[in-house]
Amino acid sequence: MAAHKLRVIPLGGVGEIGKNMTVLEYGQDIIVIDAGLMFPSEEMPGVDLLLPDISYLLERQRSVRGIVITHGHEDHIGALHHVLSRLQVPVYSTRFTRDLISVGLRQRGVRSAAELNTFAPGSKVTLGAFTVEPFGVCHSIPDSVGLIIHTPQGIVVHSGDFKIDHTPVVGEPTSFSQLAALGGGDVLLLLSDSTYVELAGYTPSETVVSDTLDRITAEAEGRVIVTTFASLISRIQQVLDVAVKRDRRVFVTGRSMRDIVSMALKNGYLSAPDGLLCRLEELKSLPHHKVIVLSTGSQGEPTSALVRMANRDPRSQVQIVPGDTVVISATAIPGNESLVSKTTDSLFRQGASVIYDRLAQVHVHGHASREELKLLLSMVRPRYFVPVHGEYRHLKLHADLAHLMGIPRENVFVLENGDVLELGQDSAEVVESTDAGVVYVDGLTTGGLDDAVLGDRNLLARNGLVVVSVAVDGENGRLAGRPRIITRGFVDVGEDRSLLEKGQAVVMAELDGAGKRLSDPDLVEDKVRDALGRFFQERVRRRPVIIPVVVDVRDTRRKTFD
Amino acid sequence: MAAHKLRVIPLGGVGEIGKNMTVLEYGQDIIVIDAGLMFPSEEMPGVDLLLPDISYLLERQRSVRGIVITHGHEDHIGALHHVLSRLQVPVYSTRFTRDLISVGLRQRGVRSAAELNTFAPGSKVTLGAFTVEPFGVCHSIPDSVGLIIHTPQGIVVHSGDFKIDHTPVVGEPTSFSQLAALGGGDVLLLLSDSTYVELAGYTPSETVVSDTLDRITAEAEGRVIVTTFASLISRIQQVLDVAVKRDRRVFVTGRSMRDIVSMALKNGYLSAPDGLLCRLEELKSLPHHKVIVLSTGSQGEPTSALVRMANRDPRSQVQIVPGDTVVISATAIPGNESLVSKTTDSLFRQGASVIYDRLAQVHVHGHASREELKLLLSMVRPRYFVPVHGEYRHLKLHADLAHLMGIPRENVFVLENGDVLELGQDSAEVVESTDAGVVYVDGLTTGGLDDAVLGDRNLLARNGLVVVSVAVDGENGRLAGRPRIITRGFVDVGEDRSLLEKGQAVVMAELDGAGKRLSDPDLVEDKVRDALGRFFQERVRRRPVIIPVVVDVRDTRRKTFD
């Protein structure tokens, strides 16, 4: 009989639930699944990225036995530098994922003696009360795994990010032999990827993209320029294979693409015959129909190689000419759509033909569609089910699917980040909700931003700013000169000078006759803010952020912060 | 022999080209096709909407003979108040479009004696050198037309927004008999809708949505809540028809939906048996399986009826309960995706089932797919072709399609807004580019915003703001007290007090020893901005907008604007 209950807690995350970090806790033992970063939404201007708040782990740091990583995408490994600089615990991952983690930690200047262990499908690692056994899955990055986790309460299966691909381009086909060996019916809990639950049927195999790339390359009279995610090694392999078949040489451009291709060739994740890759000097002398360019920029990132080409940036190694065919072998991640569209338009304007996902099957994604999700559910036959990886609607649809597959509704839990699900062998309930916040990162600081600061940024963005400087002579109860008005993002000052002049008159009228009360700076600030706020609201129906700055020319004891 | 060339100019627009307003000019005669507004992109915080800059028309106002409207969507009629208050010209449209224009002008408080004329397919209107003959097309709003325009140089055909629907729910099937009657080969120029050129095949008929709505309603055990565009009259008719068939009554919620349903019933654009619609008091006593609610909010608009339901707003007329089925019978317009997703998640959280376009065919759009575009091209067989309505990539793909259909490349023109295409009977070229800007609207003003103001807003949003108030005694060459620092959207002041204290010290050190130069406020401002900028850049890698406010306590002659 187990002495404790098993606690499952999705941490961090905005929008998506149970994606970036999940905690499993049993008594005095904690393991963490993944440690990823999040990208900001449009309501977070100036935020570079978000990290999970790990207070829950820091408060229990003596219990944390290790971090287990399912695969090497940034939303699963990108918070490791943040976690490892606060928590000295070993990390477990497959070999390729470990290589990516090392690169990431180096780039972020983390020189901690982080213990980066590797494991492989079929091996087992015991971490306190937990024994973790990874199993290979297919996803849009090599060496991805799901996890079979033996706990004192029973077996927990975590799908990781997965799809079922019987003919992957790199690595092994998805194999559920380890799951099948569990015998079915013995699994306490399944946590499964919900990202593409909206899509009926099966996700196509990576190989369909090979056919499309080959056809495009065969038909192209000039250069073929392919952009994709640098970590999508299988896609890169497909491009290399097409180049060999169509007798073209490959030029790689963009820092992250060059770094990863060279690492992957060195470590055997990619294979290419000698002399396939060419250097910049060679590129210049090759006929265009003998060239494939492999480039960063699939998300329209402003400083990427493809965007430089699109914008005729003179620093670009490649200049677009009519006859070039650009293949965007990726989909826009939500939030990047307009950057990608802009880049596509610019490439067309330069005279390129651009082929993207709406026009041809130049990309398949890396997540299971509905029939694949059903297959996993029917193979694992868990007692309890928790959909993860998705926004609330995805989890809810996945929960409905699990119910359709025979799991009773009361055994299916749609969690929010921070919810604590407590499981016994025959019981499960959400017992509390911990604070699962995020940490905003802008520049070097990870602590200076919060919701209030972002709220102010949005106010400034929508309404603009008016600074009113008022010099008063509090001792004699009169204004010491005319107020000064400085605006940013409010109105075109040249055009609307009279509006600001009237605003100045409004301030003077408001303060006229205030007499000795002018010596109270708080009162003067309130009066200025109210009077000008009303004036702008009436005149132009706008509510700029108004910052009064009151200086008493006879007083040197002044407030210094606000 | 014609004495002048025919000039075709797409005006206004950001992103999309030839959508919101197009000018046709022949000698001293100008007609304008459509006068629509645009919606702001995410880089335009606080902007409510955009209008085309009509300087070109104002400079030639004695030539403008009239405005011809193709259909009643806001991106085709929403700038009329702006144009008509500056330009007294007659407007021509079909009857339903006229009714929508009247409503729009009233809402915007335009009481001009605007002459709103109606025309019908088959009729002809002569406007100076132009004779305009509308022909009926199917689109996602009733009474849409394309235009056959007889000019001294030849016939111009403008498709309007169109699709081909042989079984529309409201109005006539698309009929090209008037176009066919032109005999083919006699058309000088075709301008055609490019919105959905990326989609292969045919756009499905509206009737497929009827089947889906009927099946959902038949299976729903509780209320069915349908949201769609208020102007999508055919969809509303489908909902009314399903309600009759399934013996449910219809409650309409949301101001624009109520207004348009009542207008459309009164004017015969919608038909419903007596007693189908119910009032709020009746709704409360009806069993849930006897109710369909028709609601605004398909774009996740924050103040719409559906979003109020989703957020449990106590002011909402309808509160979501488990058992409700919500149907989002629309697609998210680009830019609205995250609002719609958020609304969907909230509805799920309230316990509703939500059915949206990724899950079932609850919406079909209103534009022609590739095969329909080909059909129009092959029927009209124009000498020259200009793709319109779309971003650059759409126009380019449509141009390629026209070439594929046999139009020589040199006769196909992908224009940018402002380009002037000059056509003779056997010649066509882009001769110049006029200034086709946009006017930003925020609040009441249409003139106060420009790119510089928006640039400042984006800077403030991304970086936050630091106001530094420095009181100096210029006469004696010393600081009159400690500088004061006020921030908004920069850092959490409580947490980062020491950063601001050090910033204050930096300012004091910078000005210490400036002596009599403190009497030069511009110099002091520059010094403060540079020193603090460097300090923040070094310490936290950020570049806030820094606004120094210098007050000389011995000087009352101060600058008052900036």
Side-chain angles (χ1 to χ4, degrees):
Chain A
M1 178 73 191
H4 302 280
K5 299 233 168 167
L6 173 68
R7 288 158 66 91
V8 178
I9 315 165
L11 277 188
V14 281
E16 285 201 285
I17 298 161
K19 173 93 183 172
N20 313 103
M21 179 177 280
T22 303
V23 169
L24 261 60
E25 183 176 11
Y26 181 83
Q28 298 305 307
D29 294 311
I30 285 177
I31 61 171
V32 180
I33 301 172
D34 291 335
L37 57 76
M38 297 143 265
F39 296 101
S41 74
E42 60 210 46
E43 295 112 70
M44 304 172 191
V47 175
D48 298 322
L49 49 94
L50 295 86
L51 299 169
D53 180 342
I54 55 167
S55 313
Y56 190 90
L57 298 177
L58 295 178
E59 287 159 14
R60 294 159 182 80
Q61 46 183 306
R62 300 185 56 179
S63 299
V64 183
R65 305 285 163 243
I67 303 173
V68 185
I69 305 289
T70 59
H71 64 285
H73 279 149
E74 284 292 315
D75 50 352
H76 295 260
I77 66 171
L80 270 174
H81 66 290
H82 173 69
V83 180
L84 292 177
S85 62
R86 286 159 183 77
L87 211 56
Q88 290 297 316
V89 292
V91 177
Y92 297 84
S93 71
T94 56
R95 198 166 66 91
F96 180 70
T97 306
R98 194 265 326 264
D99 292 347
L100 290 177
I101 292 171
S102 300
V103 170
L105 291 179
R106 254 201 315 278
Q107 279 174 356
R108 289 175 174 114
V110 177
R111 272 179 296 255
S112 85
E115 193 192 311
L116 303 181
N117 307 286
T118 60
F119 56 23
S123 68
K124 285 183 184 174
V125 175
T126 296
L127 298 166
F130 302 98
T131 296
V132 179
E133 182 188 341
F135 61 96
V137 296
C138 289
H139 183 47
S140 48
I141 189 167
D143 247 11
S144 296
V145 294
L147 304 169
I148 297 167
I149 304 167
H150 302 268
T151 84
Q153 289 291 6
I155 296 169
V156 174
V157 173
H158 189 295
S159 73
D161 283 12
F162 84 104
K163 67 172 173 179
I164 294 171
D165 194 339
H166 302 291
T167 53
V169 170
V170 158
E172 298 298 310
T174 310
S175 150
F176 290 117
S177 58
Q178 283 166 267
L179 288 182
L182 295 177
D186 280 348
V187 172
L188 178 69
L189 171 68
L190 171 65
L191 302 119
S192 176
D193 180 3
S194 312
T195 313
Y196 274 87
V197 67
E198 290 167 336
L199 289 195
Y202 295 89
T203 300
S205 168
E206 284 287 319
T207 53
V208 305
V209 177
S210 295
D211 298 340
T212 316
L213 288 176
D214 183 56
R215 185 174 48 74
I216 291 169
T217 306
E219 287 171 7
E221 289 170 11
R223 295 181 297 192
V224 176
I225 299 166
V226 182
T227 183
T228 190
F229 303 101
S231 64
L232 186 39
I233 297 292
S234 62
R235 194 63 47 78
I236 296 170
Q237 185 65 60
Q238 289 172 302
V239 173
L240 300 180
D241 292 347
V242 166
V244 170
K245 181 170 171 196
R246 296 296 168 187
D247 195 23
R248 290 180 180 235
R249 294 186 68 196
V250 177
F251 177 72
V252 182
T253 183
R255 195 174 66 98
S256 62
M257 188 64 86
R258 280 203 316 271
D259 287 355
I260 212 153
V261 167
S262 103
M263 183 275 264
L265 282 170
K266 201 173 96 192
N267 295 355
Y269 304 117
L270 278 176
S271 68
D274 285 350
L276 182 68
L277 299 190
C278 74
R279 291 195 310 277
L280 187 58
E281 310 83 74
E282 297 175 281
L283 176 72
K284 287 175 177 158
S285 61
L286 283 167
H288 280 187
H289 68 279
K290 291 291 181 195
V291 172
I292 293 184
V293 176
L294 190 57
S295 172
T296 52
S298 71
Q299 298 303 304
E301 304 93 328
T303 59
S304 65
L306 187 70
V307 173
R308 291 212 163 132
M309 292 180 217
N311 295 342
R312 300 201 85 69
D313 187 325
R315 288 165 297 178
S316 179
Q317 296 181 310
V318 178
Q319 302 291 340
I320 296 289
V321 294
D324 285 343
T325 301
V326 178
V327 180
I328 300 178
S329 184
T331 35
I333 292 169
N336 294 344
E337 295 90 346
S338 77
L339 284 175
V340 174
S341 295
K342 235 182 255 178
T343 306
T344 307
D345 284 339
S346 301
L347 290 164
F348 270 124
R349 282 194 171 92
Q350 303 302 331
S353 289
V354 190
I355 302 176
Y356 48 102
D357 57 356
R358 301 191 78 165
L359 303 179
Q361 192 143 28
V362 289
H363 180 64
V364 296
H365 60 81
H367 295 273
S369 301
R370 287 178 79 83
E371 292 304 313
E372 294 155 86
L373 297 175
K374 286 187 195 168
L375 182 59
L376 184 65
L377 278 160
S378 76
M379 187 159 9
V380 174
R381 286 194 286 142
R383 183 185 301 263
Y384 299 105
F385 178 65
V386 171
V388 290
H389 300 184
E391 307 203 37
Y392 194 88
R393 61 192 177 282
H394 304 123
L395 307 194
K396 183 62 177 50
L397 291 167
H398 202 177
D400 291 346
L401 191 68
H403 176 59
L404 193 71
M405 296 289 297
I407 303 181
R409 282 221 181 268
E410 61 272 22
N411 289 8
V412 177
F413 294 87
V414 177
L415 303 182
E416 303 270 8
N417 286 317
D419 279 355
V420 179
L421 177 68
E422 222 172 65
L423 294 125
Q425 272 149 346
D426 295 302
S427 69
E429 62 176 325
V430 176
V431 292
E432 61 174 312
S433 195
T434 68
D435 186 21
V438 293
V439 177
Y440 301 103
V441 181
D442 171 12
L444 274 190
T445 61
T446 53
L449 292 189
D450 57 18
D451 291 341
V453 172
L454 290 179
D456 278 347
R457 287 186 176 188
N458 282 312
L459 270 182
L460 287 166
R462 281 197 301 270
N463 305 291
L465 166 75
V466 174
V467 176
V468 193
S469 147
V470 184
V472 299
D473 174 350
E475 204 175 301
N476 296 309
R478 57 183 175 75
L479 287 174
R482 291 174 70 82
R484 183 177 164 205
I485 294 184
I486 303 170
T487 74
R488 290 283 186 282
F490 176 49
V491 289
D492 178 335
V493 176
E495 206 172 313
D496 281 341
R497 200 168 185 86
S498 77
L499 180 73
L500 301 186
E501 279 167 356
K502 285 187 192 117
Q504 199 183 31
V506 164
V507 172
M508 295 181 72
E510 180 72 18
L511 298 180
D512 194 37
K516 293 285 180 187
R517 282 176 298 155
L518 287 179
S519 62
D520 178 351
D522 292 337
L523 182 91
V524 175
E525 288 187 5
D526 286 349
K527 275 177 165 294
V528 168
R529 201 181 283 115
D530 291 351
L532 261 190
R534 271 197 312 274
F535 170 71
F536 289 131
Q537 170 67 15
E538 275 165 25
R539 288 295 299 268
V540 290
R541 292 267 173 88
R542 293 211 233 151
R543 300 177 180 279
V545 174
I546 298 173
I547 300 184
V549 178
V550 179
V551 175
D552 192 327
V553 298
R554 301 292 176 106
D555 180 14
T556 53
R557 295 153 301 155
R558 294 182 185 100
K559 283 202 302 186
T560 52
F561 290 117
D562 206 351
Chain B
M1 178 74 192
H4 302 279
K5 300 233 169 167
L6 174 68
R7 289 158 65 93
V8 178
I9 315 164
L11 277 188
V14 281
E16 285 200 286
I17 298 161
K19 174 92 182 174
N20 313 101
M21 179 177 281
T22 303
V23 169
L24 260 60
E25 184 175 10
Y26 181 83
Q28 298 305 307
D29 293 311
I30 285 177
I31 61 169
V32 179
I33 302 173
D34 290 335
L37 57 76
M38 296 142 266
F39 296 102
S41 74
E42 59 210 46
E43 295 111 70
M44 304 172 192
V47 175
D48 297 320
L49 49 94
L50 295 86
L51 299 170
D53 180 343
I54 55 168
S55 312
Y56 190 90
L57 298 177
L58 295 179
E59 288 159 14
R60 295 159 181 80
Q61 46 183 304
R62 300 186 56 179
S63 299
V64 183
R65 304 287 163 242
I67 303 173
V68 185
I69 304 289
T70 60
H71 63 284
H73 280 148
E74 283 292 316
D75 49 352
H76 295 259
I77 66 170
L80 271 175
H81 66 290
H82 173 69
V83 180
L84 292 177
S85 62
R86 285 159 183 79
L87 210 57
Q88 291 297 317
V89 293
V91 177
Y92 297 85
S93 71
T94 56
R95 198 167 64 93
F96 180 69
T97 306
R98 195 265 325 265
D99 292 346
L100 290 176
I101 292 171
S102 300
V103 169
L105 291 179
R106 253 201 317 276
Q107 278 173 357
R108 290 176 173 111
V110 177
R111 271 179 296 255
S112 84
E115 193 193 311
L116 303 181
N117 307 288
T118 60
F119 57 22
S123 68
K124 286 183 184 173
V125 176
T126 296
L127 299 165
F130 302 98
T131 297
V132 180
E133 182 187 339
F135 61 96
V137 296
C138 288
H139 183 47
S140 48
I141 189 168
D143 247 11
S144 295
V145 294
L147 305 169
I148 297 166
I149 305 166
H150 302 267
T151 84
Q153 288 292 5
I155 295 169
V156 174
V157 174
H158 190 295
S159 73
D161 284 12
F162 84 104
K163 68 172 173 178
I164 294 172
D165 194 339
H166 301 292
T167 53
V169 170
V170 159
E172 297 298 309
T174 309
S175 150
F176 290 118
S177 58
Q178 284 165 269
L179 289 181
L182 295 177
D186 281 347
V187 173
L188 178 70
L189 171 69
L190 171 65
L191 302 117
S192 176
D193 180 2
S194 312
T195 314
Y196 275 86
V197 67
E198 291 164 336
L199 289 195
Y202 295 88
T203 300
S205 168
E206 285 287 320
T207 53
V208 305
V209 176
S210 294
D211 298 340
T212 316
L213 288 176
D214 184 54
R215 185 174 47 73
I216 291 168
T217 306
E219 287 171 8
E221 288 169 13
R223 295 182 296 192
V224 175
I225 299 165
V226 182
T227 182
T228 190
F229 303 100
S231 63
L232 186 38
I233 295 293
S234 61
R235 194 63 46 79
I236 296 170
Q237 185 66 60
Q238 288 172 300
V239 172
L240 300 180
D241 293 346
V242 167
V244 170
K245 182 171 169 193
R246 296 296 167 186
D247 195 23
R248 290 179 181 237
R249 294 186 68 196
V250 177
F251 178 72
V252 182
T253 182
R255 194 173 67 98
S256 63
M257 188 63 86
R258 280 203 315 272
D259 287 355
I260 213 155
V261 167
S262 102
M263 183 276 267
L265 282 170
K266 199 173 99 192
N267 295 354
Y269 304 117
L270 278 176
S271 68
D274 285 350
L276 183 67
L277 300 190
C278 73
R279 292 195 310 276
L280 187 58
E281 311 84 74
E282 298 176 279
L283 176 72
K284 286 175 177 158
S285 60
L286 282 167
H288 281 187
H289 68 279
K290 291 291 180 195
V291 172
I292 294 185
V293 176
L294 189 58
S295 173
T296 52
S298 71
Q299 298 302 304
E301 304 93 326
T303 58
S304 66
L306 187 69
V307 173
R308 291 211 163 133
M309 290 180 219
N311 296 341
R312 299 201 85 68
D313 187 325
R315 286 166 298 179
S316 179
Q317 295 180 311
V318 178
Q319 302 290 340
I320 296 289
V321 293
D324 285 344
T325 301
V326 178
V327 180
I328 302 178
S329 185
T331 35
I333 293 169
N336 293 344
E337 295 91 345
S338 76
L339 282 177
V340 175
S341 295
K342 234 182 256 179
T343 305
T344 307
D345 285 338
S346 301
L347 290 165
F348 270 124
R349 281 194 172 92
Q350 303 301 330
S353 290
V354 190
I355 301 176
Y356 48 103
D357 57 356
R358 301 191 78 165
L359 303 179
Q361 193 144 27
V362 289
H363 180 64
V364 296
H365 60 80
H367 297 273
S369 301
R370 285 178 81 83
E371 293 304 313
E372 293 155 87
L373 297 174
K374 286 187 194 169
L375 182 59
L376 184 64
L377 278 159
S378 77
M379 187 158 10
V380 174
R381 287 194 284 142
R383 182 184 302 264
Y384 299 105
F385 177 64
V386 171
V388 290
H389 301 183
E391 307 202 36
Y392 193 88
R393 61 191 178 282
H394 303 123
L395 307 194
K396 182 64 174 53
L397 292 168
H398 203 177
D400 291 346
L401 191 69
H403 176 58
L404 192 72
M405 297 289 295
I407 303 181
R409 281 223 181 268
E410 62 271 21
N411 288 8
V412 178
F413 294 86
V414 177
L415 303 182
E416 303 269 9
N417 286 317
D419 280 355
V420 179
L421 177 68
E422 221 171 65
L423 295 124
Q425 272 149 345
D426 295 302
S427 69
E429 63 176 324
V430 176
V431 292
E432 61 174 313
S433 195
T434 68
D435 186 22
V438 292
V439 177
Y440 301 103
V441 180
D442 171 12
L444 274 190
T445 61
T446 53
L449 292 187
D450 57 18
D451 291 341
V453 171
L454 289 179
D456 279 347
R457 288 186 175 187
N458 282 311
L459 271 182
L460 288 166
R462 282 198 302 272
N463 305 290
L465 166 76
V466 174
V467 176
V468 192
S469 145
V470 183
V472 299
D473 174 350
E475 204 177 302
N476 296 309
R478 55 182 174 77
L479 288 175
R482 292 174 69 81
R484 182 176 165 206
I485 295 185
I486 302 170
T487 75
R488 290 285 186 281
F490 176 48
V491 289
D492 178 337
V493 176
E495 205 172 314
D496 282 341
R497 201 170 183 85
S498 77
L499 180 73
L500 301 186
E501 278 166 358
K502 286 188 190 115
Q504 200 184 30
V506 164
V507 173
M508 293 179 74
E510 180 73 16
L511 297 180
D512 194 38
K516 294 285 182 187
R517 283 176 296 156
L518 287 179
S519 63
D520 178 353
D522 291 336
L523 181 92
V524 175
E525 287 188 6
D526 286 349
K527 275 177 165 294
V528 167
R529 201 182 282 115
D530 291 352
L532 261 191
R534 270 197 313 274
F535 171 72
F536 289 131
Q537 171 66 13
E538 276 165 25
R539 289 294 300 268
V540 291
R541 293 265 173 90
R542 293 210 234 153
R543 301 176 179 279
V545 174
I546 297 174
I547 301 184
V549 179
V550 179
V551 175
D552 192 328
V553 298
R554 301 290 176 105
D555 181 13
T556 52
R557 294 152 303 154
R558 294 183 185 100
K559 284 201 302 185
T560 51
F561 290 116
D562 205 351

